[in-house]
Amino acid sequence: MSATVAPPSLLAGRYQLERILGSGGMGVVYRARDLLHEQFGEPCSSVALKVLGETFAECPDAHVLLYSEFALARGLRHERVVRMYGFDVDINRHIAFFTMELMHGMTLDRLLLEYPGGMPWRELQPMAVQLLDAVAYTHRLGVLHGDLKPGNVMVSEEGLRLFDFGLGQSLLTTGLPGLSRGHIGAWTPAYAAPELLAGDALSMAADLYGVACVLYEMAQGRRPGERSSAESLPRPRQWPRHYWPALRTALALDPERRTISVAELREMMGCPWRRWFV
């Protein structure tokens, strides 16, 4: 099954595509109207609909990759994680797609453009806790995100939402076809743990590194960048000194030295000050 960059305006006789919301990774996301729900008087029928992008549409197992993403995230029920709706195929056009809740606001990478020197702690701290809440929740369910970066975080008046599990994996046996994302070469270098770029498997430690890079950028206004060790990184001016050892540990280049979990980092940031020993 395959999809084109510009699929027909109506898919499966039900979903009316309106406009592109974003593209990247392996897919394109559209805003769409669910005409079936409209027919039954549903007042809010808009959804987000994802199809494969041009690069992956011609891959023999592309539809399996798309379904794998849907299946990985469909069991997630958390206010800080995008909600999946359903997987479908337009039989006549051989286009696979899935629908999910339509999120409002802007992505975190766009918001950060307004803070070139880093976000003030009073704004950063609650947002960081929400993001860590989302990742800690997925880890508890054995789900790895795999592509934690500002572009995969939506910001609105209701808070942060994590989305796009296209490079994610499950630590549990799901019965789904085993797909290796390594050949995709889609890791985002600025946020990918060094071991991922070296060809190692995705892990909780790699997710920890990715979310720590996001937090660092929120506080510093720029990414960690090239360095010989986490110890060589300067503490962001907007990041309190007593919280710095924990974030620095999460940014360790060696996964064996990331002796803190996402849940522990979240607990530390959500509590009043206490010393963090590393």
Side-chain angles (χ1 to χ4, degrees), residues 211-238:
V211 75
C213 286
V214 174
L215 299 182
Y216 186 92
E217 184 175 359
M218 291 171 69
Q220 184 77 338
R222 59 180 176 82
R223 303 162 185 167
E226 295 289 335
R227 61 194 189 280
S228 58
S229 68
E231 287 71 23
S232 64
L233 273 176
R235 178 180 63 86
R237 181 174 58 88
Q238 309 284 17

Side-chain angles (χ1 to χ4, degrees), residues 186-269:
W187 308 123
T188 305
Y191 305 95
E195 66 269 20
L196 286 182
L197 299 177
D200 290 353
L202 180 62
S203 65
M204 288 187 179
D207 265 1
L208 170 66
Y209 181 90
V211 75
C213 286
V214 174
L215 299 182
Y216 186 92
E217 184 175 359
M218 291 171 69
Q220 184 77 338
R222 59 180 176 82
R223 303 162 185 167
E226 295 289 335
R227 61 194 189 280
S228 58
S229 68
E231 287 71 23
S232 64
L233 273 176
R235 178 180 63 86
R237 181 174 58 88
Q238 309 284 17
W239 194 271
R241 187 177 301 277
H242 46 272
Y243 289 148
W244 174 233
L247 183 61
R248 186 176 59 199
T249 297
L251 287 166
L253 299 178
D254 181 354
E256 296 296 326
R257 296 178 64 87
R258 294 177 211 142
T259 54
I260 184 174
S261 68
V262 172
E264 289 169 336
L265 184 58
R266 182 261 177 262
E267 181 184 3
M268 182 273 299
M269 291 196 62

Side-chain angles (χ1 to χ4, degrees), residues 7-140:
S9 60
L10 184 67
L11 285 179
R14 173 176 176 177
Y15 297 100
Q16 184 74 51
L17 304 189
E18 296 183 325
R19 62 184 176 86
I20 292 178
L21 295 175
S23 61
M26 70 177 187
V28 181
V29 179
Y30 290 83
R31 179 189 175 103
R33 289 163 51 205
D34 185 339
L35 301 184
L36 179 61
H37 282 186
E38 283 189 6
Q39 182 179 353
F40 285 98
E42 177 63 48
C44 184
S45 65
S46 294
V47 298
L49 185 150
K50 185 170 184 176
V51 299
L52 290 166
E54 183 178 26
T55 302
F56 293 94
E58 304 305 321
C59 296
D61 64 350
H63 63 290
V64 181
L65 196 62
L66 191 69
Y67 181 77
S68 178
E69 176 184 354
F70 167 76
L72 184 70
R74 67 180 170 183
L76 302 178
R77 297 288 187 271
H78 192 278
E79 61 178 349
R80 301 301 170 196
V81 180
V82 64
R83 181 76 176 271
M84 294 292 177
Y85 289 156
F87 185 90
D88 206 342
V89 177
D90 187 308
I91 300 297
N92 294 328
R93 300 176 178 87
H94 303 288
I95 298 176
F97 63 92
F98 64 76
T99 55
M100 54 189 165
E101 68 173 307
L102 180 65
M103 296 181 292
H104 302 281
M106 69 172 70
T107 51
L108 181 58
D109 56 342
R110 290 180 54 197
L111 177 64
L112 291 179
L113 294 176
E114 302 176 12
Y115 298 92
M119 300 180 66
W121 179 251
R122 65 180 180 278
E123 298 180 33
L124 189 162
Q125 190 267 349
M127 295 173 67
V129 168
Q130 291 174 12
L131 178 57
L132 292 167
D133 266 340
V135 181
Y137 167 78
T138 67
H139 282 190
R140 286 198 300 274

